[in-house]
Amino acid sequence: MRSAMHKVAIKKNDTVMVVAGKERGKSGKVLKVLPEKAAVLIERLNFAKRHLRAGGPHGKGGIVEKEAPIHISNVQLLCSKCNLPTRIGKKVLEDGRKVRICRKCGEAIDE
Ligand SMILES: [Zn+2]
């Protein structure tokens, strides 16, 4: 049986860069991780217009723009140390803590 859950190394409040798709080259802060979709919502990126039906939960109809999820395969973590989009590595510190590391510069991403 295949699990629908994906291992998402990106976390909320990470800064990521979009590396594919229409928002390619832009970066922003992760608002939300959606593990079941293997996707992230990034602040002010990938806006999608959504039509609201009158009488819906918001009471009025119209169009709102809202961040749409971007698949994690289209984003990479932006390393705060070397300022490059990078794949995420893992490292166990001497005290046993697991941290994510930048594959480019090798610096720990988590403090
Ligand atoms: Zn780095």
Side-chain angles (χ1 to χ4, degrees), residues 18-30:
V18 181
V19 294
K22 71 180 171 102
E23 302 283 25
R24 184 178 179 164
K26 295 182 186 173
S27 58
K29 195 173 86 173
V30 174

Side-chain angles (χ1 to χ4, degrees), residues 80-98:
S80 58
K81 306 290 191 315
C82 63
N83 212 28
L84 291 169
T86 181
R87 292 183 58 196
I88 299 167
K90 289 254 169 77
K91 188 177 161 183
V92 181
L93 299 178
E94 283 173 12
D95 62 8
R97 283 187 300 139
K98 282 182 198 154

Side-chain angles (χ1 to χ4, degrees), residues 41-61:
L41 286 179
I42 305 169
E43 193 173 34
R44 292 193 300 277
L45 280 192
N46 203 34
F47 276 112
K49 285 198 171 80
R50 287 174 56 155
H51 295 262
L52 296 179
R53 226 176 298 166
H58 302 287
K60 58 181 195 292

Side-chain angles (χ1 to χ4, degrees), residues 71-88:
H71 197 265
I72 49 158
S73 64
N74 291 342
V75 304
Q76 287 197 326
L77 190 77
L78 197 61
C79 175
S80 58
K81 306 290 191 315
C82 63
N83 212 28
L84 291 169
T86 181
R87 292 183 58 196
I88 299 167

Side-chain angles (χ1 to χ4, degrees), residues 98-111:
K98 282 182 198 154
V99 292
R100 297 176 301 164
I101 59 163
C102 168
R103 288 263 180 97
K104 292 249 163 71
C105 67
E107 292 285 339
I109 291 155
D110 302 306
E111 298 302 328

